[in-house]
Every structure is written in C-alpha cells, then in structure tokens.
Amino acid sequence: MPGITLSDFELPFVFDSVKAYQSTLLKANTILDKHHPSVLVPGHGKTTESKEEMKQRIEASQTYLSRLIEAVENEDEQTLSQLRQEMPYESSFTSSCHEENVQQVKREFANEWGKQ
C-alpha cells in the first residue's frame, strides 16, 4: 500500500492531490489499527516491523502536510524554509519536490482561502 508514502527519510511527495494524500494517510492509520500489519515496506527507505514506527511515519507525514498547508495559507516563508531544511536527506530533488508540494497546496486550497 505505501508505494512512495511512509518513507523513514523522505517527505511526502504529493504528485496529484494534497487532500487525497491526507485521505491515504487516514486509511493507513485505519489499516494499522484494524488489520495489524506485520511489516511496512515503503517504496523508499527501510522496512519496519514496529507498529510504533509505522504510526510515527504516518504522524510525521500528517504533520508535514498540516504545517505545509498552514504555512502556505499564511505565506509563512520561514516555516516553508524550515520544512525544507528538516528533510534528513536534503537534495536539489527533494527541494524541488517540496516546492512542488507548495504549488500543489496553492492550487488546491486557493479558492477555499479566497486567494486566486
């Protein structure tokens, strides 16, 4: 299920929809609680058999997206920069993915915020 989600070292890469990504994280939490998977195999990063680590990865992704949405809405460049710097393996690729996440948030939420 995780594909590129729930990595132990990469930020969420939102290729399609921030809202869909958030929904996927909620589903991952439900799967974790109801079905008790024995191993998590992300598309990138280490596998884990620890339920605590699985939950931590879900929460880390949820926190990143929540902070990202709030920072974009408030035009908080300091927090946006901080989010980019918090990546364990910062590179030009991950920085560009973070910037694309910023642009995706703007596209998805601008109407809700009355910004266009």
Side-chain angles (χ1 to χ4, degrees), residues 19-35:
K19 293 174 185 179
Y21 203 113
Q22 290 175 310
S23 177
T24 297
L25 292 172
L26 291 174
K27 289 175 189 172
N29 231 354
T30 299
I31 290 167
L32 187 59
D33 290 340
K34 289 187 177 183
H35 301 286

Side-chain angles (χ1 to χ4, degrees), residues 38-102:
S38 59
V39 65
L40 171 71
V41 182
H44 298 132
K46 295 179 182 176
T47 62
T48 184
E49 296 176 1
S50 166
K51 183 175 181 178
E52 278 303 308
E53 185 173 343
M54 292 178 204
K55 193 166 250 341
Q56 186 277 328
R57 291 184 191 189
I58 293 168
E59 289 171 2
S61 292
Q62 289 171 322
T63 299
Y64 167 83
L65 291 174
S66 295
R67 290 175 63 204
L68 178 70
I69 292 165
E70 183 177 346
V72 171
E73 179 180 16
N74 295 321
E75 299 177 2
D76 182 349
E77 293 299 325
Q78 182 177 0
T79 298
L80 290 173
S81 178
Q82 184 178 10
L83 283 167
R84 183 174 47 253
Q85 293 170 3
E86 288 174 3
M87 291 181 273
Y89 297 101
E90 186 176 1
S91 68
S92 60
F93 175 73
T94 55
S95 290
S96 68
C97 290
H98 172 70
E99 184 53 37
E100 181 53 37
N101 288 349
V102 170

